[in-house]
Amino acid sequence: MPMTSKLAKLGLFDAMVPRYTSYPTAPQFKPAIGSDQMQEWIRSIAPDSQISLYLHIPFCRRLCWFCACRTQGTKTLSPVAGYLNTLKKEIALLGRCLPSGVRLSRMHWGGGTPTLLSAEMIRDLAQAVEHVVPLAPDAEFSVEIDPNEIDAERVRALADVGMTRASIGVQDFDPEVQTTIGRIQGFGITRTAVEMLRESGITSLNADILFGLPHQDEARIATSVQKLLTLNPDRVALFGYAHVPWMARRQSLIPSDALPAPEHRLRLFETARKLFEWDGYHQIGIDHFATPEDRLAIAAKAGQLKRNFQGYTDDPADTLVGLGASAISKFPQGYAQNAAATSAHVKAIESGRFSTARGHVFSGQDTLRARIIEAIMCDFEVQTSDITTRFPNSEGQVTRLIKDAAEQFGDIVQVTKRGLRILPEGQPLTRIIARHFDAYDMSGAGHASAI
């Protein structure tokens, strides 16, 4: 049987599965988790340890039609200023709960468009964080950059407050594709942004590019990738566009008949993947590429790659605190998500409590299955010894799960003395194989296509 037909038979082109940036996934979160639980989990963080911090800035000057993130448009900085005042109060609330001596191993500002902030706002927000939980000496501080919304003054401010990595959204450089997704961003604008960042001393750069966009074909995505490669990013995220207009209404502006068929999406991914690898990048997990010297590639080679809500990471911290509307925190005990609506989030913080609206407490087999799924997503392999060392007395169950997976997926996986390995030709099915180890009901969860 040809490989494409085999992948199709196993559901690659019609399955809707999670991206597994968490386990359990966000649709399983329940409203039983609130502010009191959030405070308790923060207070349980070990003194003098390291955590990660995510700050969500849910504002954009323009709303791109392809985007499904929690964002809102604004023509002025007035609502942004009000939101930042609330965010600083949330940071202070975190500080009142946080044990002494805690430092940041990673900090990420996402959105929305964090670079919508003025230079003064950037410095003010960074100072508020530094006062409560400073960066560790070897910390990584990354910010999502919109090349259309950045200038030399804001770049200087970001460099001054310690940003070490810029994350630039590219999506696609083709004019017709850009017009169809409501994201006009010329290559020249992007190149200028990169040059400003590097001139300011920010040398670490990652970029996002999408496959599966309307009107994309192999020639167009190849041209976009080749242009991106001239900017020499350290790492690239090659994400599949998820067309979910029932969840993100603005996507209804994108004509569905212009979207590539699932089989075509696979060819688009393979075209881009080959170009990255021909240029010396290593594939990291299912959708990232990095230069051999990049920290992500080093972590992957050492078997230390992790996965969280920002995707793949080498972050050593076990706790990620998310601040801002809709932000998600992860603790050893479970997940906590802030109110999605900005108004509800602001109301809670202004009343002196976290806006935590839902979440999940780990129970039963959650952490065991989470580790198996993370290993599959990061390494394409589950090592029995890794699981049984972390979870004593689990060998029988792990063996059964591996046996069941081997029976379901046949010769695209391989059972070895170490455990279960996904063969290279089966790696497009990684998320579907991960789903095999998911114990939760996913009907009606609205997940994305497997490719």
Side-chain angles (χ1 to χ4, degrees):
M1 180 186 297
M3 183 51 61
T4 301
S5 298
K6 185 178 293 187
L7 296 175
K9 185 177 180 181
L10 290 168
L12 180 63
F13 301 133
D14 51 26
M16 301 294 285
V17 291
R19 296 189 186 276
Y20 286 114
T21 53
S22 71
Y23 181 83
T25 56
Q28 308 301 333
F29 294 179
K30 305 299 181 189
I33 305 300
S35 178
D36 290 345
Q37 187 75 80
M38 179 78 167
Q39 291 187 50
E40 179 184 331
W41 285 349
I42 292 172
R43 290 191 174 104
S44 71
I45 295 169
D48 301 314
S49 63
Q50 293 189 6
I51 65 170
S52 298
L53 186 66
Y54 171 75
L55 299 183
H56 188 62
I57 313 295
F59 295 94
C60 293
R61 192 85 63 184
R62 53 177 184 165
L63 295 177
C64 303
W65 303 339
F66 72 90
C67 181
C69 296
R70 297 277 188 177
T71 60
Q72 58 195 81
T74 181
K75 298 297 184 183
T76 72
L77 287 179
S78 178
V80 181
Y83 178 84
L84 288 182
N85 285 332
T86 301
L87 187 55
K88 287 189 291 184
K89 291 179 182 178
E90 189 178 9
I91 293 167
L93 181 57
L94 170 66
R96 290 195 291 273
C97 300
L98 203 61
S100 63
V102 175
R103 298 289 184 270
L104 293 180
S105 61
R106 300 288 184 275
M107 179 162 63
H108 184 76
W109 293 6
T113 308
T115 50
L116 188 71
L117 276 59
S118 67
E120 182 182 1
M121 288 174 169
I122 289 169
R123 290 188 168 92
D124 191 36
L125 181 58
Q127 185 177 21
V129 174
E130 177 72 18
H131 179 71
V132 167
V133 55
L135 293 165
D138 60 345
E140 182 174 279
F141 173 13
S142 56
V143 178
E144 294 175 13
I145 308 287
D146 180 351
N148 288 300
E149 195 64 57
I150 194 68
D151 54 28
E153 185 180 9
R154 283 176 281 186
V155 169
R156 282 195 300 272
L158 289 168
D160 288 346
V161 300
M163 185 178 82
T164 61
R165 176 174 291 278
S167 180
I168 292 187
V170 169
Q171 322 320 334
D172 192 288
F173 286 123
D174 184 85
E176 184 179 14
V177 174
Q178 290 184 356
T179 300
T180 309
I181 65 174
R183 170 81 171 209
I184 305 302
Q185 179 183 314
F187 175 71
I189 292 173
T190 306
R191 181 178 55 199
T192 298
V194 170
E195 290 171 350
M196 283 193 297
L197 289 161
R198 289 194 164 132
E199 287 169 2
S200 72
I202 301 167
T203 57
S204 296
L205 173 70
N206 57 276
D208 297 345
I209 190 167
L210 294 177
F211 70 93
L213 291 172
H215 302 300
Q216 263 186 345
D217 57 27
E218 287 95 322
R220 283 177 166 175
I221 198 170
T223 299
S224 290
V225 169
Q226 288 166 339
K227 287 182 176 180
L228 176 59
L229 287 171
T230 66
L231 303 178
N232 298 311
D234 301 278
R235 66 180 72 153
V236 179
L238 175 62
F239 292 132
Y241 167 62
H243 191 61
V244 287
W246 57 91
M247 295 175 61
R249 292 183 181 178
R250 72 191 78 163
Q251 289 188 352
S252 62
L253 296 169
I254 296 176
S256 58
D257 58 359
L259 296 170
E263 295 87 345
H264 190 190
R265 284 171 63 94
L266 179 60
R267 293 197 298 272
L268 292 171
F269 175 84
E270 287 298 318
T271 298
R273 179 186 65 80
K274 289 176 182 177
L275 288 171
F276 287 126
E277 292 186 341
W278 286 341
D279 214 55
Y281 288 75
H282 292 182
Q283 183 171 348
I284 309 296
I286 63 170
D287 53 18
H288 279 51
F289 298 84
T291 61
E293 303 80 17
D294 184 80
R295 290 168 63 162
L296 210 60
I298 294 169
K301 186 175 181 180
Q304 297 172 347
L305 193 65
K306 294 183 179 181
R307 190 159 172 83
N308 65 16
F309 296 106
Q310 280 80 59
Y312 290 106
T313 180
D314 64 334
D315 184 8
D318 293 326
T319 294
L320 166 66
V321 175
L323 302 181
S326 79
I328 303 176
S329 300
K330 180 187 177 183
F331 299 90
Q333 300 93 331
Y335 297 107
Q337 183 171 21
N338 291 346
T342 302
S343 58
H345 171 74
V346 169
K347 182 179 179 181
I349 300 301
E350 294 296 329
S351 70
R353 59 185 177 85
F354 289 108
S355 77
T356 314
R358 64 185 196 134
H360 180 87
V361 178
F362 294 141
S363 62
Q365 300 176 1
D366 284 345
T367 52
L368 183 149
R369 289 178 180 266
R371 176 53 200 153
I372 291 175
I373 289 171
E374 184 178 52
I376 290 170
M377 297 295 295
C378 292
D379 307 319
F380 304 117
E381 181 181 26
V382 180
Q383 294 186 29
T384 303
S385 61
D386 170 66
I387 306 301
T388 55
T389 298
R390 295 168 186 255
F391 305 95
N393 304 317
S394 65
E395 184 172 359
Q397 180 187 6
V398 174
T399 300
R400 286 192 299 273
L401 288 171
I402 288 175
K403 180 182 177 183
D404 291 346
E407 290 176 354
Q408 179 173 343
F409 296 104
D411 59 3
I412 68 163
V413 299
Q414 182 181 59
V415 177
T416 68
K417 293 180 179 179
R418 291 160 57 101
L420 181 76
R421 173 174 170 259
I422 304 175
L423 297 177
E425 58 268 26
Q427 289 177 6
L429 286 168
T430 297
R431 286 164 53 208
I432 292 177
I433 295 171
R435 182 184 64 178
H436 174 80
F437 296 90
D438 190 329
Y440 287 88
D441 178 16
M442 284 177 281
S443 59
H447 294 302
S449 168
I451 183 63

